[in-house]
mmCIF file of all heavy atoms in Angstrom:
data_model
loop_
_atom_site.group_PDB
_atom_site.id
_atom_site.type_symbol
_atom_site.label_atom_id
_atom_site.label_comp_id
_atom_site.label_asym_id
_atom_site.label_seq_id
_atom_site.Cartn_x
_atom_site.Cartn_y
_atom_site.Cartn_z
ATOM 1 N N TYR A 21 -93.424 2.640 -43.635
ATOM 2 C CA TYR A 21 -94.694 2.887 -42.993
ATOM 3 C C TYR A 21 -94.748 2.250 -41.603
ATOM 4 O O TYR A 21 -95.154 2.891 -40.631
ATOM 5 C CB TYR A 21 -95.834 2.367 -43.865
ATOM 6 C CG TYR A 21 -97.165 2.900 -43.420
ATOM 7 C CD1 TYR A 21 -97.537 4.211 -43.693
ATOM 8 C CD2 TYR A 21 -98.030 2.112 -42.684
ATOM 9 C CE1 TYR A 21 -98.740 4.713 -43.257
ATOM 10 C CE2 TYR A 21 -99.244 2.603 -42.248
ATOM 11 C CZ TYR A 21 -99.592 3.900 -42.532
ATOM 12 O OH TYR A 21 -100.780 4.400 -42.083
ATOM 13 N N PHE A 22 -94.284 1.005 -41.493
ATOM 14 C CA PHE A 22 -94.274 0.323 -40.200
ATOM 15 C C PHE A 22 -93.390 1.045 -39.197
ATOM 16 O O PHE A 22 -93.795 1.272 -38.058
ATOM 17 C CB PHE A 22 -93.780 -1.125 -40.364
ATOM 18 C CG PHE A 22 -94.881 -2.106 -40.562
ATOM 19 C CD1 PHE A 22 -95.500 -2.211 -41.798
ATOM 20 C CD2 PHE A 22 -95.313 -2.911 -39.537
ATOM 21 C CE1 PHE A 22 -96.519 -3.108 -42.002
ATOM 22 C CE2 PHE A 22 -96.340 -3.819 -39.726
ATOM 23 C CZ PHE A 22 -96.944 -3.917 -40.969
ATOM 24 N N TYR A 23 -92.175 1.387 -39.613
ATOM 25 C CA TYR A 23 -91.250 2.045 -38.693
ATOM 26 C C TYR A 23 -91.779 3.406 -38.243
ATOM 27 O O TYR A 23 -91.668 3.758 -37.065
ATOM 28 C CB TYR A 23 -89.851 2.162 -39.298
ATOM 29 C CG TYR A 23 -89.114 0.834 -39.302
ATOM 30 C CD1 TYR A 23 -88.682 0.255 -40.485
ATOM 31 C CD2 TYR A 23 -88.867 0.145 -38.120
ATOM 32 C CE1 TYR A 23 -88.028 -0.976 -40.494
ATOM 33 C CE2 TYR A 23 -88.226 -1.077 -38.108
ATOM 34 C CZ TYR A 23 -87.800 -1.631 -39.300
ATOM 35 O OH TYR A 23 -87.161 -2.846 -39.303
ATOM 36 N N SER A 24 -92.385 4.147 -39.137
ATOM 37 C CA SER A 24 -92.922 5.451 -38.728
ATOM 38 C C SER A 24 -94.076 5.269 -37.739
ATOM 39 O O SER A 24 -94.199 6.035 -36.776
ATOM 40 C CB SER A 24 -93.361 6.268 -39.943
ATOM 41 O OG SER A 24 -94.486 5.699 -40.560
ATOM 42 N N ARG A 25 -94.919 4.258 -37.963
ATOM 43 C CA ARG A 25 -96.033 4.009 -37.041
ATOM 44 C C ARG A 25 -95.537 3.520 -35.674
ATOM 45 O O ARG A 25 -96.070 3.921 -34.642
ATOM 46 C CB ARG A 25 -96.996 2.967 -37.623
ATOM 47 C CG ARG A 25 -97.701 3.378 -38.888
ATOM 48 C CD ARG A 25 -98.754 4.374 -38.623
ATOM 49 N NE ARG A 25 -99.795 3.732 -37.835
ATOM 50 C CZ ARG A 25 -100.925 4.289 -37.515
ATOM 51 N NH1 ARG A 25 -101.204 5.494 -37.911
ATOM 52 N NH2 ARG A 25 -101.819 3.656 -36.792
ATOM 53 N N LEU A 26 -94.521 2.664 -35.659
ATOM 54 C CA LEU A 26 -93.992 2.159 -34.391
ATOM 55 C C LEU A 26 -93.241 3.254 -33.623
ATOM 56 O O LEU A 26 -93.287 3.277 -32.397
ATOM 57 C CB LEU A 26 -93.104 0.945 -34.623
ATOM 58 C CG LEU A 26 -93.822 -0.312 -35.124
ATOM 59 C CD1 LEU A 26 -92.822 -1.412 -35.451
ATOM 60 C CD2 LEU A 26 -94.845 -0.806 -34.106
ATOM 61 N N GLU A 27 -92.576 4.145 -34.336
ATOM 62 C CA GLU A 27 -91.870 5.253 -33.681
ATOM 63 C C GLU A 27 -92.832 6.176 -32.953
ATOM 64 O O GLU A 27 -92.493 6.756 -31.930
ATOM 65 C CB GLU A 27 -91.069 6.063 -34.707
ATOM 66 C CG GLU A 27 -89.670 5.574 -34.909
ATOM 67 C CD GLU A 27 -88.885 6.468 -35.872
ATOM 68 O OE1 GLU A 27 -89.463 7.395 -36.484
ATOM 69 O OE2 GLU A 27 -87.689 6.230 -36.001
ATOM 70 N N GLU A 28 -94.034 6.334 -33.481
ATOM 71 C CA GLU A 28 -95.043 7.198 -32.857
ATOM 72 C C GLU A 28 -95.423 6.718 -31.457
ATOM 73 O O GLU A 28 -95.873 7.505 -30.630
ATOM 74 C CB GLU A 28 -96.314 7.238 -33.711
ATOM 75 C CG GLU A 28 -96.168 7.956 -35.022
ATOM 76 C CD GLU A 28 -97.421 7.831 -35.886
ATOM 77 O OE1 GLU A 28 -98.423 7.203 -35.443
ATOM 78 O OE2 GLU A 28 -97.397 8.341 -37.018
ATOM 79 N N LYS A 29 -95.267 5.439 -31.195
ATOM 80 C CA LYS A 29 -95.705 4.853 -29.920
ATOM 81 C C LYS A 29 -94.822 5.275 -28.749
ATOM 82 O O LYS A 29 -95.274 5.267 -27.616
ATOM 83 C CB LYS A 29 -95.751 3.316 -30.019
ATOM 84 C CG LYS A 29 -96.677 2.795 -31.093
ATOM 85 C CD LYS A 29 -98.095 3.239 -30.861
ATOM 86 C CE LYS A 29 -99.013 2.751 -31.959
ATOM 87 N NZ LYS A 29 -100.356 3.261 -31.848
ATOM 88 N N GLN A 30 -93.579 5.602 -28.990
ATOM 89 C CA GLN A 30 -92.644 6.017 -27.942
ATOM 90 C C GLN A 30 -92.661 5.075 -26.729
ATOM 91 O O GLN A 30 -92.935 5.478 -25.601
ATOM 92 C CB GLN A 30 -92.958 7.449 -27.479
ATOM 93 C CG GLN A 30 -92.748 8.521 -28.516
ATOM 94 C CD GLN A 30 -91.285 8.689 -28.880
ATOM 95 O OE1 GLN A 30 -90.428 8.683 -28.031
ATOM 96 N NE2 GLN A 30 -91.029 8.827 -30.165
ATOM 97 N N PRO A 31 -92.363 3.785 -26.957
ATOM 98 C CA PRO A 31 -92.411 2.837 -25.834
ATOM 99 C C PRO A 31 -91.257 3.062 -24.848
ATOM 100 O O PRO A 31 -90.194 3.556 -25.208
ATOM 101 C CB PRO A 31 -92.275 1.475 -26.529
ATOM 102 C CG PRO A 31 -91.525 1.771 -27.777
ATOM 103 C CD PRO A 31 -91.957 3.152 -28.197
ATOM 104 N N VAL A 32 -91.491 2.703 -23.601
ATOM 105 C CA VAL A 32 -90.474 2.781 -22.558
ATOM 106 C C VAL A 32 -90.138 1.344 -22.157
ATOM 107 O O VAL A 32 -91.033 0.543 -21.881
ATOM 108 C CB VAL A 32 -90.998 3.571 -21.336
ATOM 109 C CG1 VAL A 32 -89.968 3.588 -20.219
ATOM 110 C CG2 VAL A 32 -91.386 4.981 -21.752
ATOM 111 N N VAL A 33 -88.833 1.020 -22.121
ATOM 112 C CA VAL A 33 -88.390 -0.322 -21.763
ATOM 113 C C VAL A 33 -87.471 -0.263 -20.552
ATOM 114 O O VAL A 33 -86.854 0.764 -20.269
ATOM 115 C CB VAL A 33 -87.665 -1.011 -22.948
ATOM 116 C CG1 VAL A 33 -88.624 -1.214 -24.106
ATOM 117 C CG2 VAL A 33 -86.460 -0.225 -23.394
ATOM 118 N N THR A 34 -87.387 -1.387 -19.830
ATOM 119 C CA THR A 34 -86.513 -1.454 -18.667
ATOM 120 C C THR A 34 -85.177 -2.109 -18.996
ATOM 121 O O THR A 34 -84.213 -1.950 -18.267
ATOM 122 C CB THR A 34 -87.196 -2.237 -17.525
ATOM 123 O OG1 THR A 34 -87.544 -3.530 -18.000
ATOM 124 C CG2 THR A 34 -88.430 -1.495 -17.042
ATOM 125 N N GLU A 35 -85.127 -2.875 -20.081
ATOM 126 C CA GLU A 35 -83.891 -3.511 -20.544
ATOM 127 C C GLU A 35 -83.667 -3.144 -22.001
ATOM 128 O O GLU A 35 -84.614 -2.908 -22.744
ATOM 129 C CB GLU A 35 -84.009 -5.039 -20.462
ATOM 130 C CG GLU A 35 -84.175 -5.603 -19.081
ATOM 131 C CD GLU A 35 -84.350 -7.123 -19.138
ATOM 132 O OE1 GLU A 35 -83.576 -7.789 -19.859
ATOM 133 O OE2 GLU A 35 -85.277 -7.627 -18.490
ATOM 134 N N ALA A 36 -82.404 -3.139 -22.397
ATOM 135 C CA ALA A 36 -82.081 -2.869 -23.797
ATOM 136 C C ALA A 36 -82.575 -4.014 -24.679
ATOM 137 O O ALA A 36 -82.503 -5.188 -24.294
ATOM 138 C CB ALA A 36 -80.578 -2.695 -23.966
ATOM 139 N N ILE A 37 -83.110 -3.648 -25.836
ATOM 140 C CA ILE A 37 -83.582 -4.645 -26.805
ATOM 141 C C ILE A 37 -82.855 -4.408 -28.123
ATOM 142 O O ILE A 37 -82.754 -3.277 -28.590
ATOM 143 C CB ILE A 37 -85.099 -4.526 -27.065
ATOM 144 C CG1 ILE A 37 -85.898 -4.676 -25.784
ATOM 145 C CG2 ILE A 37 -85.552 -5.549 -28.099
ATOM 146 C CD1 ILE A 37 -87.379 -4.407 -25.965
ATOM 147 N N ASP A 38 -82.360 -5.485 -28.687
ATOM 148 C CA ASP A 38 -81.769 -5.452 -30.027
ATOM 149 C C ASP A 38 -82.135 -6.786 -30.669
ATOM 150 O O ASP A 38 -81.397 -7.754 -30.577
ATOM 151 C CB ASP A 38 -80.251 -5.258 -29.963
ATOM 152 C CG ASP A 38 -79.638 -5.088 -31.338
ATOM 153 O OD1 ASP A 38 -80.396 -5.008 -32.334
ATOM 154 O OD2 ASP A 38 -78.398 -5.037 -31.430
ATOM 155 N N ASP A 39 -83.310 -6.831 -31.270
ATOM 156 C CA ASP A 39 -83.838 -8.092 -31.774
ATOM 157 C C ASP A 39 -84.575 -7.858 -33.090
ATOM 158 O O ASP A 39 -84.910 -6.726 -33.438
ATOM 159 C CB ASP A 39 -84.793 -8.702 -30.743
ATOM 160 C CG ASP A 39 -84.981 -10.195 -30.922
ATOM 161 O OD1 ASP A 39 -84.415 -10.765 -31.871
ATOM 162 O OD2 ASP A 39 -85.713 -10.796 -30.112
ATOM 163 N N THR A 40 -84.825 -8.930 -33.788
ATOM 164 C CA THR A 40 -85.575 -8.873 -35.035
ATOM 165 C C THR A 40 -86.769 -9.805 -34.916
ATOM 166 O O THR A 40 -86.624 -10.967 -34.558
ATOM 167 C CB THR A 40 -84.697 -9.323 -36.230
ATOM 168 O OG1 THR A 40 -83.544 -8.490 -36.288
ATOM 169 C CG2 THR A 40 -85.464 -9.235 -37.535
ATOM 170 N N LEU A 41 -87.944 -9.257 -35.181
ATOM 171 C CA LEU A 41 -89.121 -10.103 -35.237
ATOM 172 C C LEU A 41 -89.489 -10.291 -36.709
ATOM 173 O O LEU A 41 -89.099 -9.491 -37.558
ATOM 174 C CB LEU A 41 -90.279 -9.513 -34.426
ATOM 175 C CG LEU A 41 -90.838 -8.153 -34.827
ATOM 176 C CD1 LEU A 41 -91.964 -8.308 -35.819
ATOM 177 C CD2 LEU A 41 -91.362 -7.474 -33.574
ATOM 178 N N TYR A 42 -90.193 -11.354 -36.997
ATOM 179 C CA TYR A 42 -90.569 -11.645 -38.384
ATOM 180 C C TYR A 42 -92.082 -11.605 -38.518
ATOM 181 O O TYR A 42 -92.802 -12.325 -37.829
ATOM 182 C CB TYR A 42 -90.018 -12.996 -38.835
ATOM 183 C CG TYR A 42 -88.526 -12.959 -38.943
ATOM 184 C CD1 TYR A 42 -87.716 -13.386 -37.889
ATOM 185 C CD2 TYR A 42 -87.910 -12.438 -40.070
ATOM 186 C CE1 TYR A 42 -86.339 -13.314 -37.980
ATOM 187 C CE2 TYR A 42 -86.523 -12.365 -40.167
ATOM 188 C CZ TYR A 42 -85.754 -12.804 -39.114
ATOM 189 O OH TYR A 42 -84.385 -12.723 -39.199
ATOM 190 N N LEU A 43 -92.519 -10.736 -39.383
ATOM 191 C CA LEU A 43 -93.930 -10.539 -39.654
ATOM 192 C C LEU A 43 -94.245 -11.131 -41.019
ATOM 193 O O LEU A 43 -93.559 -10.827 -42.000
ATOM 194 C CB LEU A 43 -94.231 -9.033 -39.655
ATOM 195 C CG LEU A 43 -95.611 -8.599 -40.101
ATOM 196 C CD1 LEU A 43 -96.586 -8.779 -38.942
ATOM 197 C CD2 LEU A 43 -95.591 -7.152 -40.527
ATOM 198 N N TYR A 44 -95.232 -11.993 -41.076
ATOM 199 C CA TYR A 44 -95.681 -12.558 -42.351
ATOM 200 C C TYR A 44 -96.920 -11.782 -42.770
ATOM 201 O O TYR A 44 -97.985 -11.924 -42.170
ATOM 202 C CB TYR A 44 -95.968 -14.054 -42.217
ATOM 203 C CG TYR A 44 -94.701 -14.846 -42.013
ATOM 204 C CD1 TYR A 44 -94.128 -14.971 -40.751
ATOM 205 C CD2 TYR A 44 -94.051 -15.429 -43.094
ATOM 206 C CE1 TYR A 44 -92.951 -15.681 -40.569
ATOM 207 C CE2 TYR A 44 -92.871 -16.140 -42.916
ATOM 208 C CZ TYR A 44 -92.335 -16.259 -41.656
ATOM 209 O OH TYR A 44 -91.165 -16.951 -41.478
ATOM 210 N N LEU A 45 -96.732 -10.930 -43.771
ATOM 211 C CA LEU A 45 -97.782 -10.043 -44.250
ATOM 212 C C LEU A 45 -98.463 -10.669 -45.458
ATOM 213 O O LEU A 45 -97.808 -10.983 -46.452
ATOM 214 C CB LEU A 45 -97.189 -8.680 -44.622
ATOM 215 C CG LEU A 45 -98.163 -7.617 -45.119
ATOM 216 C CD1 LEU A 45 -99.149 -7.248 -44.014
ATOM 217 C CD2 LEU A 45 -97.396 -6.385 -45.571
ATOM 218 N N ARG A 46 -99.771 -10.836 -45.363
ATOM 219 C CA ARG A 46 -100.556 -11.448 -46.441
ATOM 220 C C ARG A 46 -101.350 -10.353 -47.143
ATOM 221 O O ARG A 46 -102.025 -9.560 -46.495
ATOM 222 C CB ARG A 46 -101.509 -12.480 -45.843
ATOM 223 C CG ARG A 46 -102.345 -13.210 -46.840
ATOM 224 C CD ARG A 46 -103.205 -14.248 -46.092
ATOM 225 N NE ARG A 46 -103.909 -15.086 -46.997
ATOM 226 C CZ ARG A 46 -105.141 -14.837 -47.435
ATOM 227 N NH1 ARG A 46 -105.785 -13.775 -47.027
ATOM 228 N NH2 ARG A 46 -105.721 -15.666 -48.276
ATOM 229 N N ILE A 47 -101.243 -10.330 -48.468
ATOM 230 C CA ILE A 47 -102.020 -9.390 -49.273
ATOM 231 C C ILE A 47 -103.019 -10.221 -50.078
ATOM 232 O O ILE A 47 -102.629 -11.082 -50.870
ATOM 233 C CB ILE A 47 -101.120 -8.575 -50.244
ATOM 234 C CG1 ILE A 47 -99.920 -7.948 -49.535
ATOM 235 C CG2 ILE A 47 -101.952 -7.531 -50.981
ATOM 236 C CD1 ILE A 47 -100.245 -6.932 -48.483
ATOM 237 N N SER A 48 -104.304 -9.981 -49.859
ATOM 238 C CA SER A 48 -105.336 -10.776 -50.538
ATOM 239 C C SER A 48 -105.418 -10.410 -52.016
ATOM 240 O O SER A 48 -104.811 -9.438 -52.470
ATOM 241 C CB SER A 48 -106.698 -10.546 -49.880
ATOM 242 O OG SER A 48 -107.231 -9.295 -50.278
ATOM 243 N N GLU A 49 -106.211 -11.181 -52.739
ATOM 244 C CA GLU A 49 -106.401 -10.908 -54.161
ATOM 245 C C GLU A 49 -107.185 -9.619 -54.385
ATOM 246 O O GLU A 49 -107.252 -9.114 -55.499
ATOM 247 C CB GLU A 49 -107.089 -12.093 -54.861
ATOM 248 C CG GLU A 49 -108.506 -12.360 -54.425
ATOM 249 C CD GLU A 49 -108.607 -13.209 -53.153
ATOM 250 O OE1 GLU A 49 -107.575 -13.621 -52.591
ATOM 251 O OE2 GLU A 49 -109.742 -13.452 -52.706
ATOM 252 N N ARG A 50 -107.744 -9.047 -53.326
ATOM 253 C CA ARG A 50 -108.431 -7.751 -53.421
ATOM 254 C C ARG A 50 -107.557 -6.617 -52.895
ATOM 255 O O ARG A 50 -108.005 -5.477 -52.813
ATOM 256 C CB ARG A 50 -109.742 -7.815 -52.651
ATOM 257 C CG ARG A 50 -110.728 -8.775 -53.305
ATOM 258 C CD ARG A 50 -112.122 -8.735 -52.727
ATOM 259 N NE ARG A 50 -112.210 -8.185 -51.393
ATOM 260 C CZ ARG A 50 -112.806 -8.777 -50.373
ATOM 261 N NH1 ARG A 50 -113.346 -9.951 -50.528
ATOM 262 N NH2 ARG A 50 -112.861 -8.191 -49.197
ATOM 263 N N GLY A 51 -106.308 -6.948 -52.496
ATOM 264 C CA GLY A 51 -105.377 -5.929 -52.019
ATOM 265 C C GLY A 51 -105.536 -5.602 -50.542
ATOM 266 O O GLY A 51 -105.046 -4.574 -50.078
ATOM 267 N N ILE A 52 -106.170 -6.472 -49.803
ATOM 268 C CA ILE A 52 -106.387 -6.231 -48.368
ATOM 269 C C ILE A 52 -105.249 -6.872 -47.580
ATOM 270 O O ILE A 52 -105.045 -8.080 -47.649
ATOM 271 C CB ILE A 52 -107.752 -6.796 -47.923
ATOM 272 C CG1 ILE A 52 -108.863 -6.097 -48.702
ATOM 273 C CG2 ILE A 52 -107.934 -6.644 -46.421
ATOM 274 C CD1 ILE A 52 -110.223 -6.733 -48.547
ATOM 275 N N PRO A 53 -104.497 -6.046 -46.819
ATOM 276 C CA PRO A 53 -103.391 -6.594 -46.034
ATOM 277 C C PRO A 53 -103.870 -7.177 -44.709
ATOM 278 O O PRO A 53 -104.852 -6.712 -44.127
ATOM 279 C CB PRO A 53 -102.505 -5.369 -45.792
ATOM 280 C CG PRO A 53 -103.461 -4.216 -45.782
ATOM 281 C CD PRO A 53 -104.567 -4.591 -46.742
ATOM 282 N N ALA A 54 -103.179 -8.213 -44.260
ATOM 283 C CA ALA A 54 -103.474 -8.828 -42.965
ATOM 284 C C ALA A 54 -102.216 -9.525 -42.467
ATOM 285 O O ALA A 54 -101.374 -9.941 -43.263
ATOM 286 C CB ALA A 54 -104.605 -9.834 -43.088
ATOM 287 N N ILE A 55 -102.103 -9.636 -41.161
ATOM 288 C CA ILE A 55 -100.973 -10.362 -40.583
ATOM 289 C C ILE A 55 -101.313 -11.845 -40.625
ATOM 290 O O ILE A 55 -102.322 -12.277 -40.054
ATOM 291 C CB ILE A 55 -100.684 -9.906 -39.150
ATOM 292 C CG1 ILE A 55 -100.213 -8.452 -39.153
ATOM 293 C CG2 ILE A 55 -99.648 -10.810 -38.497
ATOM 294 C CD1 ILE A 55 -99.987 -7.865 -37.776
ATOM 295 N N ASP A 56 -100.478 -12.600 -41.300
ATOM 296 C CA ASP A 56 -100.651 -14.050 -41.361
ATOM 297 C C ASP A 56 -100.132 -14.669 -40.065
ATOM 298 O O ASP A 56 -100.802 -15.483 -39.450
ATOM 299 C CB ASP A 56 -99.908 -14.602 -42.584
ATOM 300 C CG ASP A 56 -100.264 -16.028 -42.881
ATOM 301 O OD1 ASP A 56 -101.467 -16.340 -42.890
ATOM 302 O OD2 ASP A 56 -99.346 -16.836 -43.092
ATOM 303 N N SER A 57 -98.928 -14.267 -39.661
ATOM 304 C CA SER A 57 -98.352 -14.694 -38.386
ATOM 305 C C SER A 57 -97.190 -13.766 -38.038
ATOM 306 O O SER A 57 -96.692 -13.038 -38.892
ATOM 307 C CB SER A 57 -97.878 -16.144 -38.441
ATOM 308 O OG SER A 57 -96.834 -16.279 -39.375
ATOM 309 N N VAL A 58 -96.779 -13.817 -36.776
ATOM 310 C CA VAL A 58 -95.659 -13.013 -36.292
ATOM 311 C C VAL A 58 -94.813 -13.889 -35.378
ATOM 312 O O VAL A 58 -95.347 -14.591 -34.524
ATOM 313 C CB VAL A 58 -96.124 -11.777 -35.484
ATOM 314 C CG1 VAL A 58 -94.949 -10.925 -35.080
ATOM 315 C CG2 VAL A 58 -97.125 -10.954 -36.250
ATOM 316 N N HIS A 59 -93.497 -13.854 -35.590
ATOM 317 C CA HIS A 59 -92.573 -14.582 -34.719
ATOM 318 C C HIS A 59 -91.800 -13.543 -33.895
ATOM 319 O O HIS A 59 -90.972 -12.823 -34.436
ATOM 320 C CB HIS A 59 -91.624 -15.449 -35.545
ATOM 321 C CG HIS A 59 -92.355 -16.485 -36.334
ATOM 322 N ND1 HIS A 59 -92.806 -17.656 -35.773
ATOM 323 C CD2 HIS A 59 -92.745 -16.526 -37.626
ATOM 324 C CE1 HIS A 59 -93.427 -18.370 -36.691
ATOM 325 N NE2 HIS A 59 -93.414 -17.703 -37.820
ATOM 326 N N ILE A 60 -92.131 -13.508 -32.589
ATOM 327 C CA ILE A 60 -91.542 -12.516 -31.692
ATOM 328 C C ILE A 60 -90.868 -13.233 -30.529
ATOM 329 O O ILE A 60 -91.461 -14.123 -29.910
ATOM 330 C CB ILE A 60 -92.622 -11.554 -31.139
ATOM 331 C CG1 ILE A 60 -93.428 -10.931 -32.277
ATOM 332 C CG2 ILE A 60 -91.987 -10.473 -30.286
ATOM 333 C CD1 ILE A 60 -94.614 -10.107 -31.807
ATOM 334 N N ASP A 61 -89.663 -12.804 -30.212
ATOM 335 C CA ASP A 61 -88.925 -13.344 -29.073
ATOM 336 C C ASP A 61 -89.646 -12.969 -27.774
ATOM 337 O O ASP A 61 -90.243 -11.881 -27.657
ATOM 338 C CB ASP A 61 -87.501 -12.772 -29.083
ATOM 339 C CG ASP A 61 -86.619 -13.426 -28.047
ATOM 340 O OD1 ASP A 61 -86.200 -14.577 -28.262
ATOM 341 O OD2 ASP A 61 -86.359 -12.773 -27.016
ATOM 342 N N SER A 62 -89.554 -13.832 -26.775
ATOM 343 C CA SER A 62 -90.246 -13.598 -25.497
ATOM 344 C C SER A 62 -89.742 -12.331 -24.787
ATOM 345 O O SER A 62 -90.518 -11.654 -24.109
ATOM 346 C CB SER A 62 -90.105 -14.810 -24.586
ATOM 347 O OG SER A 62 -88.737 -15.072 -24.328
ATOM 348 N N LEU A 63 -88.453 -11.973 -24.942
ATOM 349 C CA LEU A 63 -87.924 -10.742 -24.329
ATOM 350 C C LEU A 63 -88.629 -9.516 -24.895
ATOM 351 O O LEU A 63 -88.993 -8.605 -24.142
ATOM 352 C CB LEU A 63 -86.403 -10.633 -24.563
ATOM 353 C CG LEU A 63 -85.765 -9.312 -24.141
ATOM 354 C CD1 LEU A 63 -85.857 -9.128 -22.628
ATOM 355 C CD2 LEU A 63 -84.320 -9.226 -24.599
#
């Protein structure tokens, strides 16, 4: 689901990127998803 949503954005970059970011996804006791935190490289 994430990859399909991000692919829709069709971003344009000036430098090549090959990186991994870490998303901490929290699911509440009611089933509500939220981003707890994200670790993204500055590039």
Side-chain angles (χ1 to χ4, degrees):
Y21 194 75
F22 267 77
Y23 285 120
S24 68
R25 296 286 294 186
L26 292 174
E27 270 184 353
E28 291 174 2
K29 301 300 178 186
Q30 294 293 318
V32 177
V33 296
T34 57
E35 296 177 46
I37 302 173
D38 185 6
D39 201 358
T40 302
L41 61 90
Y42 292 95
L43 172 80
Y44 290 83
L45 181 64
R46 182 178 187 268
I47 310 297
S48 77
E49 66 276 359
R50 293 189 339 232
I52 299 169
I55 294 176
D56 192 47
S57 64
V58 184
H59 298 280
I60 307 173
D61 188 75
S62 59
L63 172 65

